[in-house]
Amino acid sequence: MNEPIYFSLYQKVPDYNVRIFKTANWALGNGVELEVNIIGKSHRVISRRGEDCLTEFITCFDDSLPEQALESVCLQPGIAHDQEYRSGNLAYRVNVEHVSRIFNSMQEFTDTLGGISETLTHEFKSAPGYSGAPLPFTGLALNSDTNTFYTIHTYPERGISIISQTAINLPVLSTAS
């Protein structure tokens, strides 16, 4: 598997059918609600607060993924995608990296984070073209106290992991006149 891997961010929820392996509903300390989905070796996170909604994907390139993304970035080895997006009352700060490190388990990944309150993970026991250990997996972790979620996608057959950290804050509006 040498397909390019992309980070994509959309306003609202795009019209894009996904096969969901696992799902969870989480809440950040600031009231933002997250619907997290593992969709194969990819993920989708829908972030909502009131009428404001952003949807994040990290996935291999797919021609059927809608084009009208706020951002769609091909992730490259050694280059971090570190960006802040504003949509309505959401300030969405994401850092995604393509790293030359394989985590053996979700626990090993979360041990590097601290303060995790929830996790969701899925291992791929029959990854095509791969028969070694560790098994590839996709995982998401939540730290509701810091309004942050983390993701990991491991590709042992390629010797890489894709990791991300996303903090969602509510901008403070000035009341000074």
Side-chain angles (χ1 to χ4, degrees):
M1 178 189 138
N2 287 321
E3 299 169 281
I5 301 166
Y6 285 82
F7 164 82
S8 302
L9 186 67
Y10 295 83
Q11 284 185 310
K12 306 299 178 199
V13 181
D15 184 18
Y16 178 64
N17 292 327
V18 296
R19 178 178 175 211
I20 298 174
F21 287 82
K22 292 196 177 170
T23 191
N25 292 299
W26 296 338
L28 299 178
N30 60 12
V32 173
E33 296 177 2
L34 304 177
E35 177 187 326
V36 298
N37 308 123
I38 294 175
I39 55 174
K41 285 191 177 182
S42 306
H43 79 263
R44 174 180 71 180
V45 176
I46 302 168
S47 307
R48 291 186 174 102
R49 186 157 196 266
E51 296 296 314
D52 298 321
C53 178
L54 290 169
T55 302
E56 170 187 303
F57 290 91
I58 292 181
T59 184
C60 292
F61 181 76
D62 181 350
D63 286 330
S64 63
L65 196 62
E67 293 179 8
Q68 60 276 26
L70 289 173
E71 184 82 78
S72 184
V73 176
C74 183
L75 302 171
Q76 300 294 323
I79 300 173
H81 176 68
D82 189 15
Q83 188 71 38
E84 182 170 305
Y85 305 91
R86 298 270 175 143
S87 180
N89 291 315
L90 299 178
Y92 197 94
R93 181 82 187 171
V94 65
N95 182 293
V96 187
E97 295 184 63
H98 180 290
V99 297
S100 297
R101 177 178 176 189
I102 297 297
F103 291 84
N104 292 311
S105 67
M106 185 64 175
Q107 183 66 49
E108 182 181 336
F109 176 64
T110 58
D111 285 348
T112 68
L113 304 174
I116 298 303
S117 53
E118 302 277 347
T119 62
L120 183 69
T121 189
H122 182 76
E123 284 187 338
F124 299 92
K125 299 192 185 304
S126 59
Y130 182 72
S131 60
L135 291 171
F137 69 93
T138 297
L140 297 104
L142 173 70
N143 183 328
S144 59
D145 293 338
T146 63
N147 302 312
T148 304
F149 68 89
Y150 303 87
T151 72
I152 181 168
H153 306 258
T154 64
Y155 301 90
E157 71 279 11
R158 293 170 64 180
I160 65 164
S161 296
I162 304 292
I163 59 174
S164 74
Q165 173 181 326
T166 303
I168 305 174
N169 294 301
L170 308 175
V172 177
L173 301 175
S174 174
T175 57
S177 40

